């Protein structure tokens, strides 16, 4: 069904006087273009008695909300959605926070390393290896930890 076949679709062609009046009315009311036209028709038709009180109140409520109020509602909804998304993201970040490997003792670091290997957490393994290397530990090619004494004795037979 095309727009021309729909009984509720009406095209309006405004001359310059109507355009000027519409612009002024929109400025006074803060309504969008279509809402301003429908609101003005609603007011006039109720005033001359061809619109029922029920229809008038319904249309007044529906078409009488200024764009700024609609915009404020939309912005508030967007802000709430943004805050919700940020909270959700923060929860995800909190779940994935890594321990501070630099502040661990050597024994704690070794336990964390073995746990990371058992659970196949490759990023944790790499982070722990980095920290251990900073402390002077060395690793074999298969990932076993060598202490400084073992690495020195293994290098100098």
């Amino acid at each position: 069904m095309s727009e021309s076949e729909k009984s509720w679709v009406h095209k309006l062609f405004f001359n310059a006087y109507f355009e000027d009046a519409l612009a002024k009315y929109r400025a006074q009311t803060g309504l969008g273009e279509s809402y301003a036209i429908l609101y003005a028709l609603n007011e006039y038709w109720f005033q001359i008695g061809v619109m029922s009180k029920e229809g008038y109140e319904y249309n007044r409520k529906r078409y009488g909300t200024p764009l700024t109020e609609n915009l404020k509602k939309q912005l508030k909804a967007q802000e709430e959605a943004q805050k919700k998304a940020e909270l959700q993201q923060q929860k995800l970040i909190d779940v994935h926070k890594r321990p501070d490997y630099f502040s661990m003792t050597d024994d704690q670091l070794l336990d964390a390393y073995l746990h990371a290997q058992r659970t196949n957490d490759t990023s944790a393994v790499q982070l722990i290896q980095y920290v251990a290397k900073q402390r002077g530990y060395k690793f074999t090619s298969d990932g076993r930890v060598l202490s400084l004494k073992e690495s020195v004795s293994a290098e100098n037979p």
Side-chain angles (χ1 to χ4, degrees):
M1 185 180 279
S2 70
E3 282 189 24
S4 60
E5 296 173 356
K6 296 177 184 175
S7 64
W8 62 91
V9 174
H10 302 280
K11 290 185 180 183
L12 297 174
F13 299 97
F14 282 8
N15 61 30
Y17 298 110
F18 280 126
E19 281 293 324
D20 185 51
L22 178 60
K24 289 176 183 174
Y25 188 68
R26 287 184 64 201
Q28 288 175 358
T29 62
L31 297 173
E33 192 168 278
S34 296
Y35 277 29
I37 295 167
L38 293 170
Y39 191 79
L41 278 173
N42 187 54
E43 292 291 320
Y44 178 71
W45 285 346
F46 181 70
Q47 185 180 19
I48 64 170
V50 295
M51 173 75 70
S52 69
K53 176 90 170 159
E54 181 183 350
Y56 170 75
E57 291 298 330
Y58 173 82
N59 288 328
R60 188 163 189 233
K61 184 177 178 182
R62 179 174 174 129
Y63 301 115
T65 306
L67 286 175
T68 53
E69 289 181 29
N70 283 335
L71 186 59
K72 286 177 187 176
K73 288 177 188 175
Q74 289 175 353
L75 289 174
K76 185 177 179 179
Q78 286 175 351
E79 287 174 3
E80 288 174 4
Q82 178 72 21
K83 286 179 185 177
K84 188 175 180 180
E86 287 172 2
L87 287 173
Q88 200 70 302
Q89 182 67 26
Q90 188 61 40
K91 286 179 185 177
L92 289 175
I93 290 171
D94 289 345
V95 168
H96 290 51
K97 276 189 178 174
R98 300 249 180 231
D100 183 7
Y101 296 121
F102 285 99
S103 65
M104 291 183 175
T105 65
D106 288 351
D107 290 336
Q108 292 171 329
L109 195 61
L110 179 61
D111 289 341
Y113 182 70
L114 295 173
H115 176 72
Q117 281 184 323
R118 279 193 308 274
T119 59
N120 292 324
D121 188 350
T122 55
S123 60
V125 168
Q126 291 173 349
L127 289 169
I128 294 168
Q129 283 180 348
Y130 174 78
V131 172
K133 285 178 184 176
Q134 296 291 315
R135 293 183 186 183
Y137 285 88
K138 298 200 179 205
F139 296 86
T140 62
S141 60
D142 64 352
R144 287 186 302 124
V145 181
L146 298 174
S147 69
L148 283 174
K149 292 179 185 174
E150 291 176 4
S151 64
V152 171
S153 62
E155 291 173 6
N156 299 323

